[in-house]
Amino acid sequence: MDVLVTVVLVILVALVFDFTNGFHDTANAMATSVATGALKPRTAVLISAVLNLVGAFLSTEVAKTVSQGIIREGQDGIQITPTMIFAGLVGAVLWNLATWYAGLPSSSTHALFGGLIGASVVGAGLQSVDWATVLSKVVLPALLSPVIAGVIALVATYLAYTLTRNATTHGAATGFRHGQTISASLVSLAHGTNDAQKTMGVITLTLVAAGYQPSGSGPALWVVLACGLAIGLGTYTGGWRIMQTVGKKISDVQSPQGFAAETSSAATILVSSHLGFALSTTHVTSGSVVGSGLGKKLADVHWSVVGRIAVAWVVTLPAAAVVGALATLLASTSTIGLVVVAVLALLGGLAFAALARRRPVTRGNVDDEQPAAEPVSA
């Protein structure tokens, strides 16, 4: 009975993480479309929510990377317990909420993996983590994907402005705004195929660890549906704070740049999902926005903002790992320790929500110009 209660608790917290992943990453798909006026804020998040749900059903390769690749199996089966997974999820959720409050587009993926790795190392030892898989399917994609997406966006932006140089400004802008509706929708679909699967993998990992599902099996249909709905609902809430950063503070995005950034992001994420790479869609999108800014002649890129985002990228995995490790130390002591971790996590989440109310960012002011550092010409 204790194991069943812990598994249920883990599933609930996993779906909470999926929800935070949704509103944390809404900016990935829709920030540039909202910033250029191609889509109204509420329309944008509705489209994104629906397509995130659809994308969750298209592939399970990334889910298998999480459930079968990162945590090793020993002689007695998988070397992580539901309690450790719960502790890892706590680290991921709290980091997501902290960076959401700061308006930083950090990686929900790395927050999740950091939390799980920290919990697993403390609870089961260094050998419980498959470091080769972490390197090949998490770390390397994290380093390469934003560069690849950024270069594609840079070239696409340059070509877009070059090919439409003689077109009427109004006509070209209108055409690119219509194109953004399609490209932003593709990013949302791609996000569902990648990010929703990570939570599917965590729930599947929990069921395997608890003995409720055979080792090596993929996510059940109810897991796919639950994760798709959770990330879709999270996306619909908006995540306006991060959307404002991606759409307004990195670069002054115009419709051709938005179209180029979204198209390059969608292509990079879809290919990676097919290959089972659990990359960060946040890294890809932010890299694309920077590339689109550099691709426009005399475009402005706010490098101080980019610097803050880069620091968050570097810190995310180890920070979530530390929280996951500390939560494991406390939660593994007894049932009381597990309850204490759950209560502390709830209080932490409520604290971030209360702080955010002091400086709210909503669909009504997400497009407002915000003070930023002086731009540097590219």
Side-chain angles (χ1 to χ4, degrees), residues 2-294:
D2 288 343
V3 174
L4 177 61
V5 171
T6 305
V7 168
V8 171
L9 182 61
V10 170
I11 292 173
L12 290 175
V13 177
L15 294 177
V16 169
F17 167 78
D18 213 21
F19 181 84
T20 66
N21 191 350
F23 73 70
H24 202 279
D25 289 2
T26 307
N28 293 349
M30 293 299 176
T32 54
S33 292
V34 172
T36 62
L39 290 169
K40 297 294 184 184
R42 185 55 71 187
T43 303
V45 295
L46 178 59
I47 293 173
S48 187
V50 172
L51 290 176
N52 264 285
L53 174 58
V54 173
F57 285 87
L58 296 184
S59 171
T60 57
E61 290 303 314
V62 176
K64 292 175 182 176
T65 296
V66 177
S67 63
Q68 301 172 22
I70 292 178
I71 307 300
R72 291 184 186 276
E73 288 196 35
Q75 292 183 345
D76 299 322
I78 204 161
Q79 298 186 48
I80 191 171
T81 66
T83 298
M84 296 178 205
I85 297 173
F86 166 76
L89 285 168
V90 166
V93 170
L94 289 178
W95 184 256
N96 265 2
L97 291 174
T99 50
W100 161 76
Y101 169 69
L104 290 174
S106 69
S107 171
S108 296
T109 301
H110 288 184
L112 175 62
F113 290 157
L116 289 177
I117 290 170
S120 184
V121 167
V122 168
L126 284 169
Q127 77 285 350
S128 64
V129 178
D130 188 334
W131 298 104
T133 299
V134 172
L135 178 64
S136 64
K137 293 202 170 185
V138 179
V139 176
L140 287 180
L143 296 174
L144 296 177
S145 59
V147 176
I148 293 171
V151 170
I152 295 173
L154 187 155
V155 174
T157 301
Y158 176 79
L159 290 175
Y161 278 105
T162 300
L163 294 174
T164 60
R165 184 178 298 161
N166 296 324
T168 62
T169 303
H170 176 72
T174 300
F176 279 117
R177 278 197 292 269
H178 288 314
Q180 274 194 273
T181 302
I182 299 173
S183 59
S185 298
L186 283 174
V187 176
S188 294
L189 189 69
H191 185 265
T193 66
N194 201 282
D195 276 51
Q197 289 188 55
K198 292 155 191 170
T199 308
M200 295 179 207
V202 170
I203 294 176
T204 302
L205 182 66
T206 303
L207 295 173
V208 171
Y212 293 120
Q213 190 168 318
S215 177
S217 57
L221 179 60
W222 70 267
V223 174
V224 176
L225 179 60
C227 292
L229 286 172
I231 201 167
L233 288 172
T235 301
Y236 185 70
T237 63
W240 308 112
R241 305 177 79 84
I242 298 174
M243 189 179 293
Q244 189 177 71
T245 298
V246 176
K248 289 289 184 182
K249 295 183 179 181
I250 295 178
S251 177
D252 183 17
V253 178
Q254 304 301 317
S255 51
Q257 296 166 267
F259 177 75
E262 290 163 357
T263 303
S264 62
S265 296
T268 304
I269 296 167
L270 286 171
V271 170
S272 299
S273 297
H274 177 70
L275 295 174
F277 292 153
L279 54 68
S280 166
T281 55
T282 301
H283 289 189
V284 172
T285 307
S286 299
S288 296
V289 173
V290 172
S292 70
L294 294 174

Side-chain angles (χ1 to χ4, degrees), residues 341-357:
V341 170
V343 171
L344 290 175
L346 178 61
L347 293 175
L350 292 175
F352 284 120
L355 288 171
R357 286 180 171 272

Side-chain angles (χ1 to χ4, degrees), residues 361-373:
V361 180
T362 66
R363 60 175 175 167
N365 65 0
V366 69
D367 281 334
D368 292 351
E369 295 293 336
Q370 296 293 316

